[in-house]
């Protein structure tokens, strides 16, 4: 016999069925490759600062960051938050080394929000006939806002470090730096998988 869930008797008595929560985290998880690709394509299309030799780092950065969003919208948020923040700071430091201003870093990260919302309206999550759920959208916006803030922190910290220890202008990314950035984001992704995947079983 299946145990009754809270509210089942009330819904039966009133003749109504309870609404099934919309799984925004699952929707993003399923579409994360497409979200990351659109974000990366938007960055590369809009930014002249993505010189040919550093363009290969854009997609790994976007894929890595997007991979944390489902966890940021789930019960694993407290464990994923440090990884999301560190990945966003890495995004900001890369932007500083590409010569971007603080405002440009914010615009680039904000593009992620636009990509996700556009995709949601193109192909909404299931059971959203009455519109997207406000609570989940607020959680998504809060997560992106944290990313924007941390990207700005990463950008500012690198500029400050360069000012104190060097000429004040961050050194451009070289081939070794690109390898290191990609390795950092892979390490963060692996840690995210270790947190989330075992607990889904």
């Amino acid at each position: 016999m299946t145990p009754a869930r809270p509210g089942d008797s009330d819904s039966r008595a009133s003749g109504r069925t309870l609404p099934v929560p919309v799984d925004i985290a699952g929707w993003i998880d399923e579409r994360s490759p497409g979200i990351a690709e659109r974000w990366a394509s938007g960055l590369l299309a809009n930014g002249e600062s993505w010189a040919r030799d550093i363009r290969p780092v854009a997609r790994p950065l976007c894929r890595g960051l997007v991979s944390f969003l489902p966890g940021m919208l789930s019960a694993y948020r407290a464990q994923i938050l440090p990884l999301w923040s560190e990945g966003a700071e890495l995004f900001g430091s890369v932007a500083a080394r590409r010569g971007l201003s603080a405002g440009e870093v914010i615009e680039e990260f904000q593009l992620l929000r636009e990509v996700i919302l556009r995709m949601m309206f193109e192909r909404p999550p299931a059971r959203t006939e009455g519109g997207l759920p406000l609570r989940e959208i607020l959680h998504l916006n809060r997560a992106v806002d944290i990313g924007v803030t941390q990207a700005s922190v990463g950008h500012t910290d690198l500029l400050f470090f360069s000012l104190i220890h060097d000429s004040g202008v961050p050194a451009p990314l070289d081939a070794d730096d690109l390898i290191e950035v990609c390795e950092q984001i892979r390490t963060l992704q692996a840690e995210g998988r270790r947190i989330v995947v075992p607990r889904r079983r």
Side-chain angles (χ1 to χ4, degrees):
M1 179 177 175
T2 304
R5 290 175 295 183
D8 279 358
S9 58
D10 293 339
S11 62
R12 282 196 297 269
S14 63
R16 293 177 299 163
T17 57
L18 292 174
V20 180
V22 176
D23 184 12
I24 298 291
W27 184 92
I28 291 176
D29 192 29
E30 290 175 2
R31 289 160 180 78
S32 59
I35 293 170
E37 179 58 31
R38 282 203 192 185
W39 187 21
S41 296
L43 295 179
L44 295 172
N46 294 333
E48 294 180 0
S49 63
W50 289 100
R52 184 179 298 275
D53 54 341
I54 64 172
R55 290 171 74 88
V57 81
R59 285 181 170 82
L61 258 180
C62 292
R63 285 195 296 267
L65 281 161
V66 172
S67 74
F68 301 133
L69 268 179
M72 285 291 292
L73 304 176
S74 73
Y76 311 113
R77 182 182 184 279
Q79 293 89 346
I80 295 297
L81 177 57
L83 305 179
W84 171 246
S85 297
E86 188 173 344
E89 286 185 29
L90 181 62
F91 183 96
S93 66
V94 167
R97 298 186 68 174
R98 290 166 41 224
L100 266 62
S101 68
E104 289 171 321
V105 177
I106 291 171
E107 287 178 6
E108 285 201 339
F109 211 100
Q110 291 275 25
L111 182 59
L112 172 60
R113 188 196 325 265
E114 180 181 330
V115 165
I116 293 172
L117 292 178
R118 282 182 180 275
M119 290 181 68
M120 279 186 178
F121 282 99
E122 289 170 6
R123 186 172 295 181
R127 299 182 295 274
T128 55
E129 293 82 0
L132 293 170
L134 179 60
R135 180 172 178 271
E136 283 76 8
I137 293 300
L138 288 175
H139 286 167
L140 172 61
N141 273 301
R142 191 172 299 126
V144 176
D145 286 343
I146 291 170
V148 169
T149 299
Q150 294 306 123
S152 181
V153 167
H155 178 273
T156 302
D157 283 354
L158 186 59
L159 291 180
F160 180 75
F161 181 84
S162 299
L163 181 63
I164 296 299
H165 297 283
D166 206 343
S167 64
V169 179
L173 293 159
D174 60 25
D176 290 339
D177 294 325
L178 296 178
I179 292 171
E180 183 179 349
V181 168
C182 290
E183 182 58 35
Q184 284 180 271
I185 200 69
R186 279 195 297 268
T187 300
L188 292 174
Q189 281 184 279
E191 180 61 25
R193 286 192 292 269
R194 281 193 291 270
I195 291 169
V196 175
V197 173
R199 301 185 186 193
R200 287 177 176 169
R201 294 171 183 168

